[in-house]
Structure formats: structure tokens, C-alpha cells
Amino acid sequence: MRISALADAAGLPVATVKFYLREGLLHSGVATSATQANYDESHLRRLRLVRALIGSVGLSVQQARTVLDLVDHPGDDLYSTLGRAVGALPPAAAAPGDDSDPYPRARAALAALGQVYDPDFAGVGQLEGALAAAEAAGMPITPDRLARYGRAVADIADYDLERMPQEPHAAVEYTVLGTALYEPVILALRRLAHQDGAVRRLRGKR
Amino acid sequence: MRISALADAAGLPVATVKFYLREGLLHSGVATSATQANYDESHLRRLRLVRALIGSVGLSVQQARTVLDLVDHPGDDLYSTLGRAVGALPPAAAAPGDDSDPYPRARAALAALGQVYDPDFAGVGQLEGALAAAEAAGMPITPDRLARYGRAVADIADYDLERMPQEPHAAVEYTVLGTALYEPVILALRRLAHQDGAVRRLRGKR
């Protein structure tokens, strides 16, 4: 298909598709003349991914390039590639504290949950910042709350991991999009579950 | 205590405390002279709340004022007040679509979960936007995934609601901070549960 049909199919302006081509986020089409090229399903699929990363997730072009590089070249150590890909997503992690114990709250929380603690993984710094903010507001996460949240979240994560594709490129894409795109779903569902519970508790079941 | 001691205790610069006083986010102290006033525990408590809303949650002064107004004047209909307070938090909801069915994806999802559907509640528009983004990326939330996420999130929400204070001012404060400050904790825990599961699956248990 021509670039105009590709842009149409992806729901993007032609100028945006040309911009992604120039920035190297989208691979070139097959030239059919000096000024025209043909695009196929692989381009449409890639555009959907780029649009999700930049449009929905809100990555910069540079951040999207980092993620797409990992999708394209997952390498031999898939575990480390997945960690780097997820680490390229917002939010930024809290700055590490003391060198010998950079993330004490996250370390303690992960020990309580019996989970791996790897301070190089961006999620650790994110958890540290989130726990510190709750603490500063006078609403620290108690061990009891952590245990209950941890159990519920592990249930979600198990489901996610069971469905991760085997093929490495697809695994990185699934992990990045499944992390970033499903996070807002989970948060909206929590607010709606609060609302649903509040209706029943405060207004009587209806 | 003097304003300098108050600022110290709250971990804020004196200029910031003065700014919050001018903006009416913090109530005045008891004047002890033409240029000095005394502040107490109530001011420190309020400053922690303001700092959480503006510093951690990232509200604008105007948004913080909306939330604080609802904390101060919860009114007789606590359910509706809680809805408005949570609705003042980011993220912004998706714009409604067709008038007769503004949020079709969220409506269907809530029906599947057996939960209240109230299109005036901000969470509904947030869920619609999140579901639409996942769909556009070619990774729609399947009924099966929705059911599993919904169950896990309901478990978290039950825990949250069981601990909501009875007293209306405290209930609004708990709901706002518990919604906004615990969301990043939940997301970081999910990423870390993914990592933990990936270690076990991809590298073998260690």
C-alpha cells in the first residue's frame, strides 16, 4: 500500500508517518519509484506499536527508540532485556539514597513479600519513592496492607506472565505494552471498585 | 510554634508555607504581634496533606483547593463528596463519545464485573480511555483478563474500604490520599512481581 493508505489504516496523519520514518522508528518501504514506496502489514503493525508508545504511554521519541531497539534486538538474555525495556517506561525511579543501602523501604517490602530484590531494576526505585511519599503524608503502607496488596498484585502478574509469548521479539512487545497500557486499566478498576463498594456501604445495596 | 519551626517540621521552605497561607490552602495562625503568629499541630497536619497533594500527587494549587474544600466541607452526602474528591485527581478522563452511550467499553466491562455504572464518575471515563488505548494497540483487554484483574483489584478495594475512617473529614482525606499515594505503590509492585516471576521462569528458581 501507499503511505497515504498506511497512514489511514493506522489512524495517523501522513506527516506523522513521515516523521517516524525520518526518525528511524518505522522501517522504510520498498521503493517503487524515486518518490514512492510500498508498505505492508509489517509497517502497519509497527505503526500501531509506535503510536501506543508515543501517543498512549507518552514516551518521547528517544525513549520509544530505546524500547523499539530492545523489541528488534532482544538478544540472548531475555530477562535482562525485559528489565531494560520496562525500565524505559515512566515513571522515573526515585534517586538512590545511601550507597550501601540505596532503597531501604523497597528492600524491606520485597523481603517481606519473599521476592527478588535487585536495585538495578527500575521498579525498585519506583517502589521506594512511592513508599516514601506515603510515609511522608502520614499514611505509610503497613505490613498488613503490603501483604494484601502483594497477594492481589501477584495474582495479576501470574496471569500476565502465563500469557507472555515465547518468541523473544513478541515477548518484549507484550511486556512493554502489557505493562504500560494495562496499568491505567488497573488503576481505573480500583477507583471503580472503591465506588462500587462505597455505594453498597454508604447508600445501602441497590 | 513560629512559622520557621512549622516549616522545619513539615520539611518545607518558609517561603512555601507563606505561599500556601496566601493561597488559603493553610489556615492562619494565632497572631502574637503585628508580624508574628503561632502555629500548632493542626497546621502541621494540614501542611503534610498539602505537600502530599501538590508535591507527591502533582496537583495544581487550584486542584488542591478543590480537594481541600471537600475535606473541610464533606457535607451530608459522603458518597457524592468522595466521588468528587477522587474525580479531582489525575488522570483526566477520556472525553465522552456518543451522548446516548458515552463510555461503551467501560459500560460493558462494569456490567461484566457486576459493578455500578455511573457515567458521571470520573473513573468511568478513565477506564474507557484505558480500554480504548489497549484496543488501538492491538492488545484489547479480553473478558478473561478483565475478570482476573477485576477480582484482584476488588480484593485490594475491599481492604481499602474496610479501613476507611467513619468521621467524614478523615474519610475524605483517607480516600484521596489512599487513592493517589497507593496507586504508584500498586504499579511498582506489579512490575516487581513481573520481575520476580520472570526470574523464576526465565532463569530458573534461584
Side-chain angles (χ1 to χ4, degrees):
Chain A
M1 64 189 124
R2 298 282 173 75
I3 194 166
S4 54
L6 175 68
D8 257 13
L12 289 169
V14 171
T16 303
V17 176
K18 288 186 172 167
F19 173 71
Y20 293 160
L21 281 166
R22 272 200 312 276
E23 290 289 331
L25 303 179
L26 179 67
H27 47 297
S28 305
V30 177
T32 55
S33 78
T35 57
Q36 289 195 334
N38 245 327
Y39 300 88
D40 59 25
E41 269 304 308
S42 74
H43 295 90
L44 183 54
R45 200 179 142 72
R46 179 59 161 235
L47 269 185
R48 288 218 177 94
L49 175 59
V50 174
R51 190 180 64 164
L53 293 175
I54 293 181
S56 300
V57 180
L59 296 192
S60 68
V61 167
Q62 186 48 50
Q63 289 169 319
R65 191 177 285 122
T66 301
V67 169
L68 292 168
D69 247 21
L70 293 163
V71 170
D72 292 338
H73 310 288
D76 290 333
D77 185 355
L78 185 57
Y79 168 73
S80 142
T81 301
L82 294 176
R84 281 190 291 151
V86 172
L89 304 175
D98 175 13
D99 262 4
S100 67
D101 190 9
Y103 303 114
R105 293 173 189 83
R107 184 180 43 70
L110 289 167
L113 293 171
Q115 290 182 201
V116 172
Y117 170 73
D118 172 0
D120 290 338
F121 188 75
V124 172
Q126 286 158 8
L127 181 60
E128 181 72 21
L131 293 174
E135 201 177 289
M139 285 183 55
I141 300 271
T142 60
D144 188 52
R145 187 180 291 270
L146 176 70
R148 181 79 165 259
Y149 281 16
R151 210 157 46 232
V153 166
D155 203 51
I156 289 176
D158 274 347
Y159 184 93
D160 296 335
L161 283 169
E162 280 160 20
R163 276 147 198 83
M164 185 165 75
Q166 295 277 331
E167 196 280 308
H169 300 83
V172 180
E173 196 174 316
Y174 170 84
T175 299
V176 166
L177 291 182
T179 298
L181 292 175
Y182 295 167
E183 286 182 347
V185 174
I186 290 168
L187 296 187
L189 285 175
R190 176 167 174 250
R191 294 191 187 188
L192 291 162
H194 285 155
Q195 185 209 17
D196 190 66
V199 165
R200 293 174 208 280
R201 279 158 210 255
L202 297 176
R203 289 202 160 164
K205 202 153 180 157
R206 61 176 186 186
Chain B
M1 63 188 123
R2 296 282 173 76
I3 195 166
S4 54
L6 175 67
D8 258 12
L12 288 168
V14 171
T16 303
V17 175
K18 286 185 175 168
F19 172 70
Y20 292 160
L21 280 167
R22 273 200 311 276
E23 290 289 330
L25 302 180
L26 178 68
H27 47 298
S28 304
V30 176
T32 53
S33 79
T35 56
Q36 289 195 333
N38 245 327
Y39 300 88
D40 59 25
E41 269 304 308
S42 73
H43 295 91
L44 182 54
R45 201 180 142 71
R46 180 60 160 234
L47 270 186
R48 289 218 176 94
L49 176 59
V50 174
R51 191 180 62 164
L53 293 175
I54 293 180
S56 300
V57 181
L59 297 191
S60 68
V61 167
Q62 185 48 49
Q63 289 168 319
R65 191 178 284 123
T66 301
V67 170
L68 292 168
D69 246 21
L70 293 164
V71 170
D72 292 338
H73 309 287
D76 290 333
D77 186 354
L78 185 57
Y79 168 73
S80 142
T81 300
L82 293 176
R84 281 190 291 150
V86 172
L89 303 175
D98 175 12
D99 262 6
S100 67
D101 191 8
Y103 303 113
R105 293 172 188 83
R107 184 180 43 69
L110 290 167
L113 293 171
Q115 289 182 201
V116 172
Y117 169 72
D118 172 0
D120 290 339
F121 188 75
V124 173
Q126 286 158 9
L127 181 61
E128 181 71 21
L131 293 174
E135 202 177 289
M139 286 183 54
I141 300 273
T142 61
D144 189 51
R145 187 181 290 271
L146 176 70
R148 181 79 166 257
Y149 281 17
R151 209 158 46 231
V153 166
D155 202 50
I156 288 176
D158 274 348
Y159 184 93
D160 296 333
L161 283 168
E162 279 160 20
R163 276 145 197 86
M164 185 166 78
Q166 294 278 330
E167 197 278 310
H169 300 83
V172 180
E173 197 174 314
Y174 170 84
T175 299
V176 166
L177 291 182
T179 297
L181 292 176
Y182 295 166
E183 286 181 348
V185 173
I186 290 167
L187 297 186
L189 285 176
R190 176 168 175 250
R191 294 191 186 187
L192 292 162
H194 285 155
Q195 185 211 15
D196 190 66
V199 165
R200 293 174 208 281
R201 279 158 211 255
L202 298 176
R203 290 203 159 164
K205 200 151 180 158
R206 59 175 187 188

